[in-house]
């Protein structure tokens, strides 16, 4: 371990030894050699210590202190670990390495954020233009004379209204997602019977399932109340999105299953379907805003492309994380945990 005292002693011994040898060869008097050795040792040691401690080590420590003041938060190495290093040169080297690593990560994150921002803006403009242009086309057709034909007028007005309803849904989802990401929306968590909530969601989606001949089953059947500590409205959104996706993208005559599994502190929820599945290269991105595995097919089925992004943020607000596993032509499974309510 380097410090000014050790360096000073080492240099003093070296210089005084050389000096003593020189005196011995010239005077050959033990007393003179001893006096020369001691004088050389103390003089060299004192001067070396003063130079190192006051002019080098002290200044290096000042630089280190400045680095500490500049940043210490978010380092991959703790302040205590760095403070244990006695050698200020090693401290600075360690600090600079950590600082450089953090800055490199920040630059990488900024580049990634910039790419996502560009993609998001492109996706938003595209998603907004589609219903706007559709509604514009129907309205302008009516203005140009089609309004006089009752059948055409009613048909075009219905289509314009549907486009505007889609636009309204998109804007509401964007606002909700933005508020969740910024922390403006807080989860109003209370004791909720999740089993009852899921049964209600299934009943609401029953017509859509029947239209595709898809069966929806809940396991265990006729279970006892499953009490969890959640925001009931937001959890309804989560279950609706996940079950509706299973219906929307599932195969005709397929099935969607909702399963509940308890552990010591949580309930684990699984939403499974036996649909076409999701290719592995898409699994890491399906929770991104507007990301669609099959863009043309997804467009035909409606939706804003924000459902899974909203689900992810709602569960994050409940200190949970959604997972997905899928095999092509076998189906997809979403799963997450929720805290039990013991009240």
């Amino acid at each position: 371990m380097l410090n000014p005292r050790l360096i000073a002693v080492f240099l003093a011994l070296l210089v005084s030894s050389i000096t003593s040898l020189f005196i011995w060869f010239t005077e050959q008097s033990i007393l003179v050699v001893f006096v020369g050795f001691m004088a050389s040792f103390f003089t060299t040691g004192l001067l070396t210590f003063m130079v190192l401690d006051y002019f080098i080590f002290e200044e290096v420590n000042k630089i280190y202190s400045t680095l500490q003041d500049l940043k210490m938060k978010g380092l991959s190495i703790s302040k205590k670990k760095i403070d244990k290093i006695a050698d200020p040169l090693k401290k600075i080297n360690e600090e600079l390495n950590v600082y450089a690593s953090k800055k490199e990560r920040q630059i990488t994150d900024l580049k990634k954020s910039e790419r996502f921002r560009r993609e998001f803006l492109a996706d938003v403009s595209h998603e907004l233009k589609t219903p706007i242009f559709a509604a514009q086309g129907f309205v302008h057709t009516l203005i140009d004379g089609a309004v006089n034909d009752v059948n055409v007028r009613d048909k075009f007005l219905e289509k314009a209204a549907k486009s505007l309803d889609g636009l309204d849904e998109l804007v509401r989802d964007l606002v909700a997602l933005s508020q969740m990401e910024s922390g403006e929306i807080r989860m109003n968590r209370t004791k909720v019977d999740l089993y009852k909530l899921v049964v209600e969601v299934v009943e609401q989606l029953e017509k859509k399932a029947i239209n595709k001949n898809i069966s929806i089953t809940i396991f265990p059947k006729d279970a006892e109340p499953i009490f969890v500590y959640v925001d009931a409205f937001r959890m309804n959104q989560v279950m609706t999105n996940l079950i509706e996706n299973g219906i929307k993208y599932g195969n005709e005559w397929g099935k969607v299953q909702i399963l509940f599994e308890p552990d010591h502190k949580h309930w684990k929820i699984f939403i499974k379907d036996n649909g076409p599945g999701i290719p592995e290269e898409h699994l890491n991105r399906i929770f991104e805003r507007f990301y669609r595995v099959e863009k043309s097919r997804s467009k035909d089925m409606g939706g804003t492309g924000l459902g899974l992004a909203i689900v992810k943020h709602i569960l994050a607000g409940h200190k949970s994380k959604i997972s997905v596993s899928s095999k092509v032509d076998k189906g997809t499974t979403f799963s997450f945990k929720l805290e039990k309510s013991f009240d």
Side-chain angles (χ1 to χ4, degrees), residues 42 48 151 210 247 261 320:
F42 284 110
T48 303
N151 292 329
I210 291 172
I247 298 169
E261 288 184 5
S320 182

Side-chain angles (χ1 to χ4, degrees), residues 204-214 244 247:
Q204 293 168 4
L205 298 172
E206 190 174 12
K207 186 177 179 181
K208 289 185 177 181
I210 291 172
N211 289 339
K212 285 194 69 174
N213 298 302
I214 289 177
E244 189 174 24
I247 298 169

Side-chain angles (χ1 to χ4, degrees), residues 4 7-9 11-12 43-53:
I7 295 172
V9 169
L11 288 176
T43 304
T44 304
L46 181 62
L47 289 173
T48 303
F49 176 77
M50 289 178 62
V51 169
L52 288 175
D53 192 49

